[in-house]
Amino acid sequence: MTLTPAEAEKILAANFAPWVLDLGLTVVETGELHAVLRLPWSARLAREGGGLSGQALMAAADTATVIAVAAARDGFVPMTTVQQSTSFQRAVLDADVRVAARITKLGRRMAFADITMTAYGATEPAARASTVYALLG
């Protein structure tokens, strides 16, 4: 049975720091090996020039990975980021962001994921990330 978006929202609320919750992320979709979150546009997250900050995008990618791993494992388990690499390709200006995380390998102790971040209404990604997680439980 796959984790539902409503169950994933509860995981988000119960397991993330208040500043991550302040990003306003919502779970749009979950599946066997993926999760899609929405990062809402906020001027508070913009940097000089009006583009969404890279830090916000990186935190969203990191969070989406946790939800994708939880979906793949049918529930939350303690885990920690081992590595994250992010490439920024274009600015996000005044648009929400679709944060799609796909698990590429799920082992007993490690998980690997690719994340694509695309502004809603755009066809090309704003950023891409890859993450590696240690599964602690």
Side-chain angles (χ1 to χ4, degrees):
M1 179 176 219
T2 302
L3 190 75
T4 68
E7 292 167 330
E9 287 280 349
K10 290 178 184 174
I11 290 169
L12 188 62
N15 294 286
F16 287 87
W19 70 267
V20 175
L21 298 177
D22 288 346
L23 293 173
L25 292 162
T26 56
V27 180
V28 175
E29 177 184 326
T30 54
E32 186 178 331
L33 291 172
H34 77 279
V36 178
L37 279 61
R38 183 180 197 115
L39 173 63
W41 170 260
S42 169
R44 289 187 63 219
L45 300 178
R47 57 177 173 70
E48 68 283 347
L52 191 63
S53 74
Q55 294 94 333
L57 289 168
M58 291 172 70
D62 194 57
T63 303
T65 301
V66 172
I67 300 302
V69 170
R73 303 249 342 224
D74 284 330
F76 179 79
V77 296
M79 61 186 92
T80 189
T81 309
V82 173
Q83 184 272 332
Q84 180 173 342
S85 177
T86 307
S87 299
F88 301 98
Q89 299 172 323
R90 56 192 42 81
V92 175
L93 302 167
D94 199 27
D96 291 359
V97 178
R98 182 179 191 272
V99 184
R102 176 157 303 278
I103 303 299
T104 58
K105 180 173 178 18
L106 181 64
R108 289 182 315 169
R109 295 284 176 216
M110 300 291 286
F112 299 78
D114 289 329
I115 304 93
T116 303
M117 294 163 274
T118 308
Y120 279 91
T123 56
E124 297 294 324
R128 294 182 191 272
S130 63
T131 56
V132 180
Y133 266 74
L135 308 177
L136 307 173

